[in-house]
Amino acid sequence: MSQKLVNNLMCSLVFACLTSLSASADTSVKTPDPDQSVADAVTAITEVNVDENSFNCIRDMTPVRHFYVDNLLGDIISTLAAANAPEGAKYPVGSVVQLVPTEAMVKRESGTFPATGDWEFFELEVNEQGSKIGKRGFVDVVNRFGGNCFACHAPAREPWDFICESDHGCETIPIDHKMTGALQRSDPRCGDAVPQDGDWMALFKLKSMVSIGLTKQWIEEKF
């Protein structure tokens, strides 16, 4: 065998070996990027999944003055800190605020819907079996009184993060604390009601107001 042929064979073998090593390197397990792993973990933790199981007995939430709060991500301490901040504060992701069993607002991930401060509004149907989401959205949810949830809360944008209370600039709603308290104490998802004196009359007045409102809406749509 000539020396030239031997050299050519050696070059071919070396090239084949290098190619094989390169292929093995490409298919080997790569070391995970620790920064990406942390980022993925943070994203998973702060993702707010809201479904009908997210809403249960309102009295199982934490009371703050005349309303209730919770946090779907478990950070109730930060939610309470925002709710009790005397000068107002931004609520953390996952916060839930409810005045009555059939309405709720949930703080979604940052940047979800800046116009509403990332709050999503919910209209609920509740009974002994649990909750059903009737309506959900950011600027187009209308409650059973015909009021747009976002429009009602917008005056409290700053510094109260869209949370309405009597001195937060929101328009006065047609129901008072006696009525909302009666609704809270009679939430059917909680089991037996725990009524106080005057609750029956408050609920009767509220039912009458809803009936009148529905009748007015029907007339306006027909004529």
Side-chain angles (χ1 to χ4, degrees):
M1 183 180 292
S2 68
Q3 184 63 41
K4 183 177 180 180
L5 182 57
V6 171
N7 290 340
N8 288 339
L9 288 172
M10 290 297 294
C11 288
S12 297
L13 288 171
V14 170
F15 178 76
C17 289
L18 290 174
T19 302
S20 177
L21 288 172
S22 176
S24 297
D26 289 341
T27 57
S28 62
V29 177
K30 295 182 179 180
T31 303
D33 181 354
D35 291 336
Q36 185 60 47
S37 298
V38 171
D40 292 342
V42 170
T43 299
I45 292 172
T46 58
E47 183 178 357
V48 184
N49 296 312
V50 188
D51 58 24
E52 293 175 346
N53 294 319
S54 302
F55 306 104
N56 299 294
C57 170
I58 193 171
R59 298 197 305 272
D60 287 342
M61 299 169 67
T62 303
V64 177
R65 294 178 290 280
H66 57 278
F67 59 96
Y68 286 81
V69 300
D70 199 358
N71 191 294
L72 297 179
L73 299 179
D75 190 9
I76 186 62
I77 293 177
S78 296
T79 296
L80 282 172
N84 289 309
E87 303 300 325
K90 296 292 183 183
Y91 280 67
V93 176
S95 294
V96 183
V97 178
Q98 286 194 256
L99 175 64
V100 295
T102 53
E103 296 181 16
M105 50 194 297
V106 178
K107 190 76 162 186
R108 301 301 304 274
E109 301 86 346
S110 178
T112 299
F113 207 93
T116 67
D118 301 318
W119 287 104
E120 185 175 8
F121 299 95
F122 294 81
E123 180 80 6
L124 306 173
E125 299 173 15
V126 301
N127 57 38
E128 293 82 357
Q129 283 70 48
S131 308
K132 180 180 179 180
I133 297 176
K135 303 175 186 175
R136 65 183 297 176
F138 296 92
V139 296
D140 55 356
V141 176
V142 176
N143 65 20
R144 64 198 61 210
F145 295 101
N148 179 285
C149 296
F150 168 67
C152 177
H153 287 266
R157 175 190 296 267
E158 296 292 346
W160 309 108
D161 198 18
F162 293 90
I163 301 301
C164 289
E165 293 194 56
S166 58
D167 57 349
H168 289 186
C170 302
E171 291 187 14
T172 304
I173 60 176
I175 59 177
D176 56 27
H177 292 335
K178 185 63 178 177
M179 294 178 181
T180 58
L183 287 171
Q184 294 163 1
R185 290 184 286 273
S186 60
D187 185 345
R189 299 168 300 178
C190 303
D192 294 337
V194 287
Q196 294 182 0
D197 290 342
D199 276 3
W200 183 88
M201 182 57 68
L203 292 173
F204 175 78
K205 290 180 179 179
L206 182 59
K207 185 176 180 180
S208 299
M209 290 171 59
V210 172
S211 298
I212 293 171
L214 292 175
T215 302
K216 180 181 178 182
Q217 181 181 351
W218 182 85
I219 293 173
E220 291 175 345
E221 291 175 351
K222 293 296 182 181
F223 301 98

